Amino acid sequence: MSVFRFKEFEIDQENCPMKINTDGVLLGAMADVLHAKEILDIGTGTGIIALMLAQRNLEATINALDIDFNAFVKAEFNFRNSLFHERLTALHTGFKEYFDLNPLKKYDLIVSNPPYFLHSLQSPKAEKNISRHTDEQFFLDLLRIAQYHLSDNGTLELIVPVDISLMLQNLASDFKLHVKKCIKIRSYEDKATIRHIISFSKQELPEVCFHDFCIYEGQGVHSLAYKTVLKDFFIIF
């Protein structure tokens, strides 16, 4: 299905290397967007996260970057055809190149559902390699960008596998960043954690907030928590 219909917008994902996925919609639904006026979405893909954040915060201006041309074209199309088009801008660029051209730019929220296959067998399709595969340097660059381009009270929020989350938590202090929140995501209650939504800020908090989140309560049956965070977006809820 090339067009995915949400309650307040549509996503055309035809020819986009990274389709709509659970990771993206969970980050879009749960990122702390309340006080963010300027938002950056790195690796926007179809634009799904940026559109969800625009729906959740009607005052935010959002820039969405993607290095893949097909993704950029599709995100731009989806933005242009949404109710939030005046506050959304798609840009065909990597985040390092973007900040080379905008060295003083700062954001209240930087989000990303980044590539996460480190040193793994790559797909023969180049565009899928870009969207799904990376190395440690990508994450070091991401932390460095956050160090210099978050506003004083800004937040970097990522959804990543557990091993990458732990790596980032160990590296954060090198970039003067502090863990703010960690949502531990499981498919089922009796299964291991598969993802973290991990948040970093420049401000050191008295304690880190940890939360558990389960996607399913039974085979093919979404949990109440999942339905609650996505009820404003998914037509089926």
Side-chain angles (χ1 to χ4, degrees):
M1 183 172 63
S2 63
V3 177
F4 198 111
R5 291 178 174 83
F6 292 82
K7 287 184 177 179
E8 295 194 21
F9 56 84
E10 294 183 353
I11 295 287
D12 186 339
Q13 54 185 353
E14 187 176 5
N15 298 324
C16 189
M18 183 57 72
K19 308 298 185 185
I20 294 172
N21 55 60
T22 301
D23 288 4
V25 296
L26 286 178
L27 182 59
M30 293 197 284
D32 187 4
V33 73
L34 183 61
H35 300 293
K37 302 300 184 187
E38 297 281 342
I39 299 174
L40 180 68
D41 177 16
I42 294 176
T44 195
T46 62
I48 177 62
I49 295 173
L51 280 160
M52 292 177 76
L53 297 180
Q55 178 180 325
R56 291 177 58 209
N57 184 332
L58 299 180
E59 297 182 1
T61 298
I62 304 171
N63 292 335
L65 315 181
D66 208 296
I67 199 169
D68 181 89
F69 182 73
N70 288 332
F72 154 71
V73 169
K74 194 57 63 177
E76 186 176 50
F77 175 84
N78 291 328
F79 293 168
R80 188 168 60 247
N81 288 282
S82 77
L83 296 171
F84 320 112
H85 62 92
E86 292 183 353
R87 299 185 288 114
L88 291 159
T89 303
L91 298 160
H92 179 218
T93 181
F95 64 91
K96 289 193 295 181
E97 294 77 12
Y98 173 75
F99 283 112
D100 284 343
L101 295 174
N102 300 277
L104 301 180
K105 184 67 175 177
K106 292 186 182 292
Y107 288 93
D108 304 310
L109 176 64
I110 298 175
V111 296
S112 185
N113 173 19
Y116 54 77
F117 291 116
L118 296 177
H119 308 307
S120 57
L121 183 64
Q122 297 200 0
S123 162
K125 291 189 175 182
E127 66 271 17
K128 188 155 286 189
N129 286 341
I130 291 172
S131 64
R132 301 186 69 185
H133 297 266
T134 190
D135 56 27
E136 288 91 342
Q137 188 60 49
F138 173 91
F139 291 101
L140 292 173
D141 292 336
L142 199 56
L143 291 174
R144 186 173 294 107
I145 288 299
Q147 178 184 3
Y148 292 109
H149 296 284
L150 281 177
S151 60
D152 289 342
N153 295 308
T155 303
L156 169 68
E157 294 209 33
L158 312 170
I159 185 163
V160 290
V162 176
D163 57 341
I164 293 179
S165 173
L166 296 176
M167 177 185 76
L168 292 169
Q169 292 179 54
N170 289 329
L171 290 170
S173 61
D174 294 342
F175 298 89
K176 297 181 173 58
L177 297 173
H178 306 277
V179 180
K180 178 180 179 181
K181 177 182 68 177
C182 181
I183 301 173
K184 298 181 288 185
I185 300 170
R186 293 182 173 89
S187 294
Y188 297 91
E189 286 287 354
D190 60 346
K191 299 298 183 182
T193 300
I194 55 172
R195 296 284 187 274
H196 282 175
I197 294 180
I198 186 77
S199 305
F200 299 93
S201 71
K202 292 182 176 181
Q203 309 298 325
E204 186 171 9
L205 302 177
E207 59 180 340
V208 179
C209 295
F210 289 95
H211 304 284
D212 292 306
F213 185 91
C214 187
I215 298 173
Y216 296 101
E217 64 179 36
Q219 187 66 38
V221 180
H222 287 110
S223 69
L224 177 60
Y226 185 87
K227 292 177 181 178
T228 299
V229 299
L230 288 167
K231 64 181 175 62
D232 292 335
F233 302 98
F234 283 179
I235 294 172
I236 59 172
F237 299 153

